[in-house]
Amino acid sequence: MTALTLSTAAAPGLRADAIVIGVAKGAKGPVVAPGAEAVDKAYDGKLAGVLETLGASGAEGELTKLPAPAGFKAPLVVAVGLGAQPDDKDAEDGDTGFDAEVLRKAAGVAARALAGARKAAFALPVDSPGAIEAIGEGVLLGAYSFDTYKENGGQAKGARAKNGKAPLAEATLLGGKPRDAAHKGAVARAVAVSEELNRARDLINMPPNDLTPAIFAGIAQAAAKEHGIKVQVLDDKALTKGGYGGILGVGGGSAATPRLVKLSYTHPGAEKHLAFVGKGITYDSGGISLKPAGHNETMKCDMSGAAAVFAAVVSAARLGLEVNVTGWLALAENMPSGSAVRPGDVLRMYSGKTVEVLNTDAEGRLVLADALWAASLEKPDAIVDVATLTGAMMLALGSRTFGVMANDDAFRSAVYEAAEEVGEPAWPMPLPEHLRKGMESSVADIANMGERWGGGLVAGLFLREFVGDGITWAHLDIAGPAFNEGGPFGYTPKGGTGSAVRTLVRLAELTAAGDLG
Ligand code: BES
Ligand code: MN
Ligand code: ZN
C-alpha cells in the first residue's frame, strides 16, 4: 500500500513527482483552496486564472495537470476539484469549511491519477486531524489497484506492473505536523482502516476458484493470530455436529465445503459487546435455481459482507477500541450438483426452526440465519449483519447506496447516521409486517421466499426471525455498493469496494465511547 507521511516542508523545495492542490468553485470562477498558498505565490498569485484558462471550474471529481512553477523541485502540479467554495459561515475558527467526504474523494481522484508516480505531496486544506484522516483515507483507498492476476503484477513493491502502472508509492500530506500526537493518530487510524479495507477489496476481487470458504477461513485465521484476535473455525464436520442446517444446506452443492468463522476481539476495559455477521458466499451461481448467464459473472462479490466484517474486526483490534467485537463469517459456495439443496427441501436451522427452500438462489438469508442465531446465543448488546442480499435492494436504491433495516427505530437511525458520517451512502428501509405472510410455508416454519414486491424487505423480515429475543439488530443490504461494475470514481475503484467497513468501524468506535445503545 501507498506509504503515508506528514510534512511541514515548504512546497517549492519538495522532491516529489507532483504537488496536489485543491481548486474550489467560486462565484466568479475557480478559486485556489487553502493549503496551496505557496504554489499560488510562485505563479504570482495568478494560479486561479491559469486554471481557468486550462478549463478548470473547481467541480468535484475534476482533475487538471499543469507544469509546476519555476523554482519548484517537483515538475508537476495536479489540481483536484473540491466543488462549491464553502460559505464564510462554514469557514470559521481556522476551519476551512471543506467537508471531510469532499476532501476524501478529491484525494482519491488525485491518488488514482498519480498511479505510476513514486512520490506526491498533497497541499490540500488541512485544518484538523479530521481533515488529515479524510485526506489520508482518500489517498490510500484511491491509490488501490488489484493486479495480483496481471502478468508481472506480483513483482516487487513499487515496481511497474507490465499491464498497468503501480499504485502511487508515497504520499506526504503538507500542513500535517509529524510530531503532533493528534495528527499522528489521524494518520495511524487512516492507515489501519484503509489497509484492512483494501484487504477486503482484495478478497472480493479474488476469483472464486482461488477463494473458497476454506481458504477465506485460513486467511482470517492468520490475520486473527497476527492481531491478537481469538478465532474459531467450524468446518463441515463441526457444522454437521452442531446442526447448522442453513450453512450446510447452501454449501452442500459445492466440492468446496462451507465454514463458519468466529473472530473475537476483546478489550479488558470493554463494557459493551457488538456482534457483526457477514454473508460470505464465495460464489453464488444460484444453485439448482441457477442464475441465467449475465447474472453470475460478478457473483464472486457475494462474500463482500463477510469481507467487511473481517476488515472491521481487525480494524477494531488494530485501533485498540475499548469494546468487545465478535465477527461471524458465514462462508459457503452456492453451486448446483447432485448433493445440492433442492427447491422443495426443508432445512433444520441452527436455531431449531425449519425452512422450506423454495428458491436456492435465496441462499444468503439461509447462511445468515445460522450465524445470526449463533451470534444471538452470546447475548451481545447489538448485532449488525452485512450482506449482498437482494437484487431488489439494488432496484430500490441504485448501485451506490446500501439499505439499513432494523428491529429498533433508534438503532436504525444511529447506523444510518454513522454511515453518513464516514461518507458511505445509506438509506433507512422499513420492515413492513404484512410481508411476513408471504413467507408462510405449508410444510415448514417459514419459506425462504415471499412476495415478489419489496424483495429486500422480505429478506430483512426473514433474517429478523433468527435474531434472539430482545437483541437490538440492524441489517445492511449492500448488494448495490459492494461491487463497482462501472469506472472508478472518487476513492472507489472498479470491482470490490469495501462497502460498510467504515460504517462498522464507526459503530464500534461509537459503542466504545458509550455513544451508542
Ligand atoms: N447474491 C444475490 C443478490 C445480489 C444480486 C447481489 C445482484 C449483488 C448483485 C442473492 O443471493 C440473490 O440471488 N437474491 C435473489 C433472491 C430471490 C431469489 C428471492 C434476488 O435478489 O434475485
Ligand atoms: Mn443468490
Ligand atoms: Zn447471494
Side-chain angles (χ1 to χ4, degrees), residues 278-317:
K279 169 177 174 181
I281 301 299
T282 57
Y283 183 69
D284 181 13
S285 72
I288 298 292
S289 313
L290 194 62
K291 285 182 188 293
H295 290 257
N296 51 21
E297 295 89 340
T298 59
M299 278 303 135
K300 65 176 182 180
C301 82
D302 217 17
M303 35 56 71
S304 296
V309 165
F310 173 41
V313 177
V314 178
S315 295

Side-chain angles (χ1 to χ4, degrees), residues 12-68:
L14 256 168
R15 282 182 200 285
D17 298 311
I19 299 191
V20 177
I21 63 163
V23 48
K25 211 171 164 154
K28 297 190 207 93
V31 180
V32 177
E37 290 81 2
V39 181
D40 190 21
K41 196 172 159 215
Y43 278 104
D44 294 329
K46 296 187 177 117
L47 181 51
V50 172
L51 286 165
E52 190 163 26
T53 307
L54 289 169
S57 69
E60 272 188 49
E62 180 185 87
L63 189 108
T64 312
K65 290 185 179 180
L66 59 160

Side-chain angles (χ1 to χ4, degrees), residues 1-5 118 120 139-140 157 168-172 187 191:
M1 202 172 70
T2 311
L4 186 65
T5 56
R118 198 182 42 80
V139 167
L140 301 177
K157 220 181 186 173
L168 172 65
E170 186 187 342
T172 191
V187 169
V191 169

Side-chain angles (χ1 to χ4, degrees), residues 197-467:
L197 194 152
N198 282 340
R199 174 162 46 192
R201 288 171 170 178
D202 278 346
L203 291 171
I204 298 163
N205 290 329
M206 258 170 89
N209 55 335
D210 276 355
L211 190 78
T212 60
I215 292 173
F216 193 157
I219 293 171
Q221 262 172 325
K225 209 170 158 196
E226 186 184 338
H227 297 288
I229 298 164
K230 214 178 122 205
V231 60
Q232 188 186 9
V233 177
L234 301 187
D235 62 9
D236 50 327
K237 275 203 197 93
L239 290 167
T240 305
K241 210 169 154 212
Y244 294 80
I247 297 173
L248 286 166
V250 172
S254 174
T257 52
R259 298 286 185 277
L260 176 64
V261 178
K262 177 186 179 187
L263 298 161
S264 313
Y265 162 67
T266 54
H267 188 287
E271 284 174 7
K272 297 273 181 188
H273 177 199
L274 269 182
F276 295 151
V277 175
K279 169 177 174 181
I281 301 299
T282 57
Y283 183 69
D284 181 13
S285 72
I288 298 292
S289 313
L290 194 62
K291 285 182 188 293
H295 290 257
N296 51 21
E297 295 89 340
T298 59
M299 278 303 135
K300 65 176 182 180
C301 82
D302 217 17
M303 35 56 71
S304 296
V309 165
F310 173 41
V313 177
V314 178
S315 295
R318 287 181 63 168
L319 299 173
L321 301 183
E322 210 165 320
V323 54
N324 293 337
V325 184
T326 310
W328 299 85
L329 318 181
L331 308 175
E333 186 180 40
N334 188 22
M335 293 290 271
S337 81
S339 58
V341 68
R342 316 155 186 78
D345 277 354
V346 173
L347 301 175
R348 182 170 294 278
M349 312 295 278
Y350 184 51
S351 77
K353 280 193 180 156
T354 55
V355 176
E356 182 183 13
V357 177
L358 292 179
N359 189 321
T360 65
D361 199 12
E363 83 297 340
R365 62 198 75 181
L366 299 173
V367 299
L368 286 170
D370 280 356
L372 283 169
W373 186 253
S376 295
L377 292 180
E378 298 199 318
K379 303 230 179 301
D381 293 291
I383 301 178
V384 180
D385 79 67
V386 187
T388 46
L389 205 60
T390 66
M393 196 53 59
M394 277 184 96
L395 284 174
L397 297 177
S399 60
R400 294 191 185 180
T401 305
F402 61 75
V404 185
M405 283 148 269
N407 61 2
D408 179 292
D409 288 352
F411 191 58
R412 186 185 55 223
S413 298
V415 172
Y416 162 68
E417 277 159 25
E420 277 272 279
E421 211 186 314
V422 298
E424 294 206 282
W427 202 250
M429 299 296 273
L431 291 173
E433 295 298 336
H434 75 94
L435 290 175
R436 172 63 180 83
K437 222 173 150 40
M439 290 184 285
E440 279 175 7
S441 162
S442 50
V443 293
D445 296 330
I446 190 170
N448 78 331
M449 274 228 334
E451 241 176 73
R452 176 166 167 233
W453 307 117
L457 320 180
V458 171
L461 281 164
F462 181 93
L463 296 180
R464 192 181 66 175
E465 306 266 325
F466 297 89
V467 175

Side-chain angles (χ1 to χ4, degrees), residues 30-174:
V31 180
V32 177
E37 290 81 2
V39 181
D40 190 21
K41 196 172 159 215
Y43 278 104
D44 294 329
K46 296 187 177 117
L47 181 51
V50 172
L51 286 165
E52 190 163 26
T53 307
L54 289 169
S57 69
E60 272 188 49
E62 180 185 87
L63 189 108
T64 312
K65 290 185 179 180
L66 59 160
F72 268 56
K73 292 232 162 72
L76 180 72
V77 169
V78 173
V80 271
L82 297 176
Q85 193 182 26
D87 290 347
D88 286 343
K89 65 171 163 46
D90 293 334
E92 51 194 23
D93 301 338
D95 179 348
T96 59
F98 286 98
D99 194 59
E101 179 63 1
V102 164
L103 296 175
R104 200 181 282 117
K105 282 195 212 152
V109 167
R112 180 149 32 77
L114 286 164
R118 198 182 42 80
K119 180 173 177 177
F122 285 72
L124 292 172
V126 165
D127 51 31
S128 62
I132 290 174
E133 190 181 319
I135 296 167
E137 272 181 358
V139 167
L140 301 177
L141 299 177
Y144 173 85
S145 81
F146 181 71
D147 45 26
T148 314
Y149 290 83
K150 296 276 193 189
E151 195 184 341
N152 257 6
Q155 65 183 342
K157 220 181 186 173
R160 193 183 168 128
K162 193 173 174 185
N163 292 321
K165 292 174 178 171
L168 172 65
E170 186 187 342
T172 191
L173 310 189
L174 305 186

